[in-house]
Amino acid sequence: MVTNGGYGAVQKALGYGVPLVVAGATEDKPEVAARVGWSGAGINLRTQAPTPKAIAAAVRSVLTDGRYRAAAQRLQRQYARLSAGDRAAELLEQLAAGGLRTAAPGTGTG
């Protein structure tokens, strides 16, 4: 996906395992683009106004280098494990079974 780095669109693409080409320089877009590049799930063009040649080269790279798709799909799997709906259902099942198991704050278990 080629995007200006809007948070919602990037999250949706990664939720489907789609690698990205990102160019954006307003609001939170530079931060989102940097994270896409850092994660390996796409290319950060580091500008708000990339040239057509830069876009074409980045798209070509994302389509032909399997590392981008692999990183995007890794994030897709992580997102799936963090699904809010699934977590809510899990907590309700625990409550119905006799109470919630809780852990000390910050331990990440429970």
Side-chain angles (χ1 to χ4, degrees):
M1 179 172 132
V2 178
T3 177
N4 70 349
Y7 181 80
V10 167
Q11 297 307 306
K12 187 63 100 172
L14 292 174
Y16 284 105
V18 174
L20 300 145
V21 172
V22 186
T26 60
E27 296 126 359
D28 64 342
K29 292 174 176 84
E31 176 72 18
V32 172
R35 289 176 185 266
V36 167
W38 174 85
S39 71
I43 295 174
N44 175 7
L45 293 175
R46 300 175 188 224
T47 180
Q48 184 171 333
T51 65
K53 185 176 179 177
I55 295 169
V59 168
R60 208 169 9 264
S61 291
V62 165
L63 292 175
T64 60
D65 186 337
R67 292 177 293 183
Y68 295 109
R69 181 164 301 280
Q73 289 174 340
R74 176 181 42 80
L75 289 172
Q76 176 187 26
R77 289 188 301 275
Q78 290 176 353
Y79 281 24
R81 284 195 304 269
L82 297 174
S83 167
D86 292 343
R87 181 67 178 140
E90 178 184 318
L91 292 172
L92 288 172
E93 287 171 4
Q94 287 179 18
L95 183 60
L100 293 174
R101 294 185 312 265
T102 59
T107 63
T109 59

